[in-house]
Amino acid sequence: MKVAILAANTGQGHISVMNSICSYLENNNIYVECFGDFYEQLMPSNKVLSDFYNLLQITSLETCRVYTQMSLLENKDKFDELYSYWYEPLNHFFRKYSCDVIVSTTPLINKYIIRYLKEVKSSRKFYIVVTDPFIPMYPGFAVQGADCYFCPNIETRALLETEGILPEKIIVSGYPLHKKFDAVRNDMLEFNKQYYLHSGKPTILINCGAQGSMDYLSIVKRIHVDFREKANAIVLCGNNSSLYAICKNKYPDFIILKYVDNVQDLLKISDLCITKAGANTFYECLYTDTPILVNGVKGFLYQEEGVIQFMEEYRVGKIFLDLEELNLKLNEMIEMETLNIMRGNIENLNIVNGSIKIAEVISQSGVRQKT
C-alpha cells in the first residue's frame, strides 16, 4: 500500500499532524510519502499566501486574524474558475506520485482534490483529517465527497453532520499526535537535571509557537519581573532567531530554547504551559495532563475562537486577555491545589492519540502492504 499525506505550510500544525500519522503508519509497515508543502508547491500563488500568513503570525496576530477572516469570504460562484487553475497542477502531481490512499491534514485543498478525483474517475481513497477541535472550524474540512473524515471530538463530529457529511463516514479518532508522545523515557531524571530547575518551584513552559511570535516578548518580560522568584520558566522561541537572541540576552535566569522536537519531554517536566490556542499545542498539553494558560491578548484566529467555550466547560486551564490578567491567573495556577484540580479535569476528558485509530483504519483499507 502507498499512502500520500498532504499538508500546507501554514504555521506548523498541519505538518505536525502529517508527521504524527506517518509515525504510526510506518509502524504498521505501510509505505508513506509526506508532502508538507503540498499546497505551496502546487502553485506559486499559494506559496505567497502561506508565506504572508506565516509572517503575520510572527509579527502581528491581530492582522493575521483579519487576514484569516478575509480568506473565508471566498465567492462560491468562482469555484469553477478557481478549479480550472488547480486541475493541471493536480493532474501533474498525481501522475508523478502514484498512491492508493490520499490523506489531507489541511482544509485548503480538499474541495479541489475531491472534484479532481471524481472527474478522472480515480479509485484512490481520500481521507480528511480534521485538525480544528473547536467550534467554529475552518470551512474546508466539511466538504462532501471524501471516503472518511477523522475528527478529534464529538463536537466536531456534530458540526460535520450539520454540514451534510454522512454519519457513517465520520470517525471520532481523537486528535493526532506523534508516537513519541507514547514513548517512555527511562532517563527523565537526568533529562530534568540538565535544565537546573529548582525543585521547590513550579515550572512554567512558555510556548511562543512554531514561528516564534514577537508578541510573546511582553509576556516573557512580565513573567520575568513578577515570577522569576516564584517559578522556573522555559521559553520556546520556535524558528524565530531574533526572538531567541533577545530572550537569551535579557533573561539569562530563564531557560531559552529554539525550536525543539521533544516538546513532549518539556511538557512532562512542566506544571503548566502558556501558549496560544493552536490545536496542536493545545492537545499536546491535554495528552500530557498539563494545565493550559491560553494567551488571548491579541485575540483568536477564526478556528481558535471556540477555545473560550472549551475552557469554560472543561476547566483545564484559564485564558488571559491582557498582562494584568496574566498576573492574576498565573498566580492562581501556580498553586499546587489549583494545578491538581485542573489535572484531574484533564484526566476526565480521556484524551486519546488519534494517530493510532487513523493508522489502523488506513492499514485496513484492503490494499497490499509493503514487504
Side-chain angles (χ1 to χ4, degrees):
M1 175 191 292
K2 294 181 70 175
V3 177
I5 309 180
L6 314 179
N9 189 18
T10 47
Q12 191 69 26
H14 300 137
I15 293 176
S16 293
V17 169
M18 174 192 74
N19 290 331
S20 297
I21 297 169
C22 179
S23 72
Y24 275 96
L25 281 173
E26 290 180 335
N27 265 7
N28 292 356
N29 202 34
I30 303 294
Y31 181 82
V32 187
E33 284 192 272
C34 293
F35 301 89
D37 58 351
F38 173 82
Y39 173 73
E40 291 77 21
Q41 289 298 321
L42 214 59
M43 290 189 288
S45 58
N46 290 349
K47 187 176 188 307
V48 172
L49 294 173
S50 292
D51 287 348
F52 185 53
Y53 174 85
N54 290 332
L55 176 64
L56 292 179
Q57 281 209 320
I58 296 173
T59 57
S60 175
L61 188 60
E62 292 167 308
T63 308
C64 189
R65 185 173 71 252
V66 175
Y67 176 69
T68 302
Q69 290 172 331
M70 288 177 61
S71 69
L72 299 172
L73 302 176
E74 182 179 291
N75 189 339
K76 293 181 179 179
D77 295 335
K78 295 288 186 180
F79 176 63
D80 287 342
E81 180 183 346
L82 289 171
Y83 175 72
S84 68
Y85 303 130
W86 281 69
Y87 179 85
E88 282 304 326
L90 286 173
N91 198 43
H92 175 76
F93 178 86
F94 287 116
R95 284 177 179 271
K96 183 177 180 180
Y97 298 102
S98 63
C99 57
D100 305 297
V101 176
I102 305 164
V103 181
S104 168
T105 67
T106 172
L108 302 176
I109 61 177
N110 298 327
K111 60 185 177 182
Y112 301 107
I113 292 179
I114 287 172
R115 177 163 171 177
Y116 170 80
L117 294 176
K118 183 178 180 180
E119 286 189 355
V120 300
K121 297 181 171 57
S122 174
S123 61
R124 298 181 180 97
K125 292 185 180 296
F126 182 57
Y127 297 150
I128 292 176
V129 180
V130 178
T131 56
D132 289 348
F134 310 122
I135 298 174
M137 71 168 67
Y138 203 88
F141 288 117
V143 182
Q144 296 182 33
D147 293 286
C148 185
Y149 302 78
F150 298 100
C151 58
N153 50 45
I154 57 174
E155 289 84 1
T156 47
R157 178 192 179 102
L159 189 54
L160 288 174
E161 290 181 5
T162 62
E163 294 293 326
I165 306 301
L166 296 175
E168 58 267 27
K169 288 193 171 187
I170 305 171
I171 295 176
V172 180
S173 58
Y175 192 88
L177 298 170
H178 199 278
K179 68 178 182 181
K180 61 191 176 185
F181 276 83
D182 292 312
V184 178
R185 284 191 68 141
N186 297 319
D187 62 341
M188 281 305 294
L189 185 60
E190 293 302 316
F191 176 79
N192 199 346
K193 285 181 180 178
Q194 70 178 298
Y195 293 111
Y196 304 103
L197 299 174
H198 192 289
S199 60
K201 299 178 181 180
T203 297
I204 304 166
L205 180 63
I206 307 170
N207 190 333
C208 304
Q211 304 300 324
S213 172
M214 297 300 285
D215 290 332
Y216 274 85
L217 279 175
S218 59
I219 293 170
V220 176
K221 179 180 179 180
R222 177 58 69 95
I223 292 173
H224 187 262
V225 170
D226 294 333
F227 290 91
R228 67 177 182 271
E229 300 299 330
K230 303 177 184 178
N232 305 301
I234 304 171
V235 183
L236 298 182
C237 297
N239 291 312
N240 190 335
S241 56
S242 297
L243 177 64
Y244 173 78
I246 293 170
C247 290
K248 191 76 172 175
N249 180 56
K250 286 191 172 184
Y251 311 113
D253 45 348
F254 280 4
I255 298 163
I256 311 298
L257 302 174
K258 297 180 180 179
Y259 182 85
V260 299
D261 60 3
N262 66 328
V263 69
Q264 74 282 357
D265 295 325
L266 296 174
L267 284 167
K268 288 173 184 176
I269 64 172
S270 300
D271 293 287
L272 66 103
C273 180
I274 297 176
T275 181
K276 67 185 186 72
N280 207 63
T281 302
F282 195 87
Y283 267 81
E284 288 173 349
C285 290
L286 294 182
Y287 197 65
T288 54
D289 293 336
T290 308
I292 312 161
L293 183 53
V294 175
N295 173 15
V297 172
K298 300 294 184 179
F300 302 105
L301 300 180
Y302 173 81
Q303 66 272 21
E304 298 171 348
E305 292 173 359
V307 72
I308 298 173
Q309 180 180 341
F310 189 99
M311 297 292 270
E312 288 177 350
E313 182 173 355
Y314 297 111
R315 301 187 182 280
V316 296
K318 295 179 181 290
I319 299 173
F320 66 95
L321 302 178
D322 55 48
L323 295 181
E324 295 307 315
E325 270 199 324
L326 167 63
N327 265 37
L328 177 65
K329 295 187 175 180
L330 187 53
N331 262 315
E332 294 174 3
M333 285 187 66
I334 60 175
E335 295 295 327
M336 194 54 62
E337 182 180 355
T338 303
L339 288 171
N340 287 335
I341 291 172
M342 290 180 175
R343 290 189 189 109
N345 293 339
I346 294 173
E347 289 177 4
N348 291 337
L349 291 175
N350 296 314
I351 300 296
V352 298
N353 188 340
S355 296
I356 298 173
K357 183 64 176 180
I358 294 170
E360 176 188 318
V361 172
I362 293 173
S363 300
Q364 295 173 353
S365 295
V367 190
R368 69 182 184 278
Q369 298 185 0
K370 71 176 181 180
T371 58

